[in-house]
Amino acid sequence: LNIENLQRTLERLSNLMNVIQKALGDYLEKQRREFSRFYFLGDDDLLEIMGNASEPGKVLGHLSKMFAGIASARLSTDELSEDTLAILDAMVSKDGEIVPFSEPIKILHGMGVKEWLKAMESNMKNTLALLLEQAVSEDKADTADKEAFVQWATKFPAQIMILSCQINWSM
């Protein structure tokens, strides 16, 4: 190849590429600082999430990397108001166990992905805390009635039921 100033052009493009990569790295680090669960994601996954912020269905595929034990969330797009993009009404475990949120999460048009992920994280904690409180108060582990115990045990998510038994056993 005999292109005039080829080496200088390639060096300039290489420098520009380094500047762009640094800016992208800084942007991704800023996103991670603003929502710490992004630290569990690689750069490619985080870029995909940020690029598909207006498509919750594509973001939900990454939940299992950010939240232990959560495979996805149940997404509803039926009969929504004009300003609502989707509604998350339950979390789904890796084993397929579905735990409805105590309060559904509305994802509005123009809402940032970090905003609704933070709302979902908070709602997960609140939902599990409410379920645990309810399970502890209704605990049937020490009853002789096996049917009552089975009914109680199947009413709550498995981890909540087990934790409730342990709490009441230790009291």
Side-chain angles (χ1 to χ4, degrees):
L1 289 172
N2 189 10
I3 299 175
E4 200 172 307
N5 298 322
L6 178 63
Q7 183 168 353
R8 193 171 11 169
T9 302
L10 290 175
E11 287 171 357
R12 186 176 56 80
L13 291 174
S14 176
N15 289 337
L16 280 172
M17 180 64 121
N18 288 336
V19 168
I20 291 168
Q21 282 180 326
K22 183 178 179 345
L24 180 59
D26 292 345
Y27 171 76
L28 294 177
E29 184 59 32
K30 179 183 174 223
Q31 298 307 311
R32 287 182 171 112
R33 279 194 308 270
E34 291 176 5
F35 185 62
S36 59
R37 294 206 176 252
F38 285 159
Y39 281 107
F40 297 115
L41 301 171
D43 290 349
D44 293 342
D45 290 330
L46 183 51
L47 281 171
E48 186 175 341
I49 287 173
M50 301 314 290
N52 292 308
S54 62
E55 297 181 52
K58 291 185 178 180
V59 174
L60 293 179
H62 297 282
L63 285 185
S64 63
K65 297 171 190 168
M66 293 184 278
F67 298 98
I70 302 294
S72 188
R74 193 166 58 192
L75 181 73
S76 174
T77 56
D78 297 333
E79 301 177 23
L80 302 174
S81 61
E82 277 187 37
D83 64 334
T84 305
L85 186 62
I87 293 178
L88 301 175
D89 65 353
M91 51 189 137
V92 181
S93 78
K94 293 176 180 176
D95 298 324
E97 186 174 41
I98 297 172
V99 180
F101 287 125
S102 58
E103 194 175 310
I105 300 152
K106 280 188 177 182
I107 302 173
L108 304 174
H109 288 285
M111 185 181 230
V113 68
K114 289 181 299 213
E115 189 177 346
W116 65 262
L117 281 172
K118 285 178 183 179
M120 188 176 79
E121 178 182 36
S122 175
N123 207 330
M124 283 178 181
K125 292 175 185 177
N126 292 341
T127 297
L128 293 175
L130 289 170
L131 286 170
L132 180 60
E133 181 181 9
Q134 187 180 0
V136 167
S137 68
E138 295 178 18
D139 189 355
K140 304 282 189 219
D142 60 350
T143 184
D145 185 0
K146 289 183 181 180
E147 264 187 54
F149 175 74
V150 170
Q151 253 183 346
W152 170 82
T154 56
K155 180 179 178 181
F156 297 100
Q159 288 186 356
I160 294 295
M161 187 266 304
I162 292 168
L163 182 56
S164 172
C165 288
Q166 291 175 337
I167 289 170
N168 283 330
W169 177 78
S170 66
M171 294 175 113

